[in-house]
């Protein structure tokens, strides 16, 4: 299994975004996690396609766009044009999940499905093969810097078993409250794409990203 670090830009210094991105890219992070919030699905705003398009010119990281947006189908093309490589939509925010995942894949992008902590895994039953990645929220979405919800360990384990039982290769991304102190737990539970905002960008982003990647490489060597 490939282990991937996806630093969340939400926690970076907005006055120096390009510089911060460069630091994590140099440290070896593979993805950049871009949190888009509409002030409706989540009680907060962040950034949209123009900011992503401008960063696209400065970085060759895989752009991992997490849409915390009601009915994101309306904006998929805008995010594709801005430079998204992976688009993840929330199962709770989409009426036609099957159609939305197809639409993302038809644009030549990878499709992800995100679930809030309280959303059961059974919503994935029929559409799991249509998703390249499942993002399990490990905090309630909307804000960075919250504490990891402990019952998510078991949810990650259950999802990894389900994916293996169905013979799929789906990535499991975890997002929210992941730090250098608890990342080993989520790796052991079966996550392989690690989002971290404050865990990376609070302090020296390059050094923090390198420390995450060191733990993840060791996990990869053991697996
Ligand atoms: C929260 C976002 C996260 C957030 C994570 O709604 O989806 O990606 O940036 O931040 P930390 O790692 O600080 O919890
Ligand atoms: Zn996110």
């Amino acid at each position: 299994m490939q282990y991937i670090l996806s630093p969340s830009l939400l926690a970076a210094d907005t006055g120096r975004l390009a510089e911060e991105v460069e630091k994590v890219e140099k440290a070896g992070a593979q993805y950049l996690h871009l949190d888009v919030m509409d002030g409706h699905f989540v009680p907060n705003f962040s950034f949209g396609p123009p900011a992503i398009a401008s960063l696209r010119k400065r970085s060759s990281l895989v752009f991992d766009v997490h849409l915390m947006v009601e009915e994101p189908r309306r904006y998929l093309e805008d995010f594709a044009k801005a430079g998204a490589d992976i688009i993840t939509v929330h199962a709770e925010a989409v009426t036609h999940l099957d159609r939305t995942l197809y639409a993302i894949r038809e644009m030549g992008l990878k499709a992800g499905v995100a679930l809030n902590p309280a959303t059961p895994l059974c919503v994935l039953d029929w559409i799991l093969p249509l998703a390249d990645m499942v993002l399990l929220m490990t905090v309630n979405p909307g804000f960075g810097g919250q504490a990891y919800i402990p019952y998510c360990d078991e949810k990650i384990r259950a999802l990894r078993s389900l994916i293996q039982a169905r013979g799929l290769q789906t990535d499991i991304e975890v997002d929210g409250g992941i730090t250098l102190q608890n990342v080993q737990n989520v790796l052991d539970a079966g996550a392989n794409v690690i989002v971290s905002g404050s865990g990376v960008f609070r302090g020296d982003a390059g050094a923090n990203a390198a420390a995450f990647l060191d733990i993840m490489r060791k996990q990869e060597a053991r697996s």
Side-chain angles (χ1 to χ4, degrees):
M1 194 167 358
Q2 208 195 341
Y3 289 89
I4 292 161
L5 179 64
S6 192
S8 166
L9 208 54
L10 200 62
D13 178 348
T14 35
R16 298 183 305 134
L17 283 187
E19 247 174 82
E20 296 286 278
V21 172
E22 201 180 309
K23 282 186 200 162
V24 297
E25 194 161 357
K26 273 197 183 136
Q30 303 95 326
Y31 287 5
L32 185 67
H33 189 79
L34 296 151
D35 288 299
V36 179
M37 303 182 182
D38 67 352
H40 187 58
F41 178 66
V42 289
N44 200 5
F45 293 99
S46 57
F47 40 77
I52 294 174
S54 136
L55 285 167
R56 183 70 289 176
K57 294 181 202 133
R58 310 279 295 265
S59 168
S60 52
L61 288 169
V62 172
F63 277 13
D64 168 28
V65 176
H66 176 194
L67 296 182
M68 284 162 275
V69 171
E70 284 291 347
E71 293 302 345
R73 175 78 191 87
R74 298 172 288 165
Y75 307 108
L76 296 180
E77 275 172 26
D78 296 338
F79 286 102
K81 276 191 202 136
D85 296 293
I86 305 169
I87 296 183
T88 296
V89 297
H90 269 264
E92 305 88 352
V94 176
T95 309
H96 301 289
L97 188 54
D98 176 281
R99 181 185 288 160
T100 305
L101 295 174
Y102 260 110
I104 297 170
R105 283 186 159 183
E106 269 168 13
M107 292 186 305
L109 307 183
K110 284 192 172 178
V113 184
L115 304 184
N116 287 335
T119 303
L121 295 177
C122 62
V123 303
L124 300 170
D125 279 358
W126 296 102
I127 50 85
L128 195 54
L130 296 180
D132 299 285
M133 182 166 86
V134 176
L135 184 167
L136 292 181
M137 285 305 309
T138 46
V139 299
N140 290 294
F143 303 92
Q146 304 179 76
Y148 178 86
I149 298 174
Y151 67 69
C152 294
D153 283 3
E154 202 179 324
K155 194 175 180 187
I156 301 164
R157 269 197 297 277
L159 177 58
R160 183 52 75 197
S161 310
L162 206 100
I163 289 169
Q164 279 169 349
R166 292 180 64 171
L168 297 166
Q169 303 290 325
T170 322
D171 287 320
I172 301 180
E173 181 172 56
V174 284
D175 183 6
I178 312 291
T179 63
L180 282 167
Q181 285 67 49
N182 66 11
V183 65
Q184 189 64 55
N185 291 349
V186 294
L187 293 172
D188 289 341
N192 69 305
V193 183
I194 305 297
V195 176
S196 181
S198 15
V200 169
F201 290 105
R202 219 175 265 164
D204 181 339
N208 291 335
F212 270 100
L213 285 158
D214 189 46
I215 297 172
M216 292 161 66
R217 281 191 200 109
K218 286 182 183 140
Q219 184 79 7
E220 196 162 329
R222 277 195 295 268
S223 69

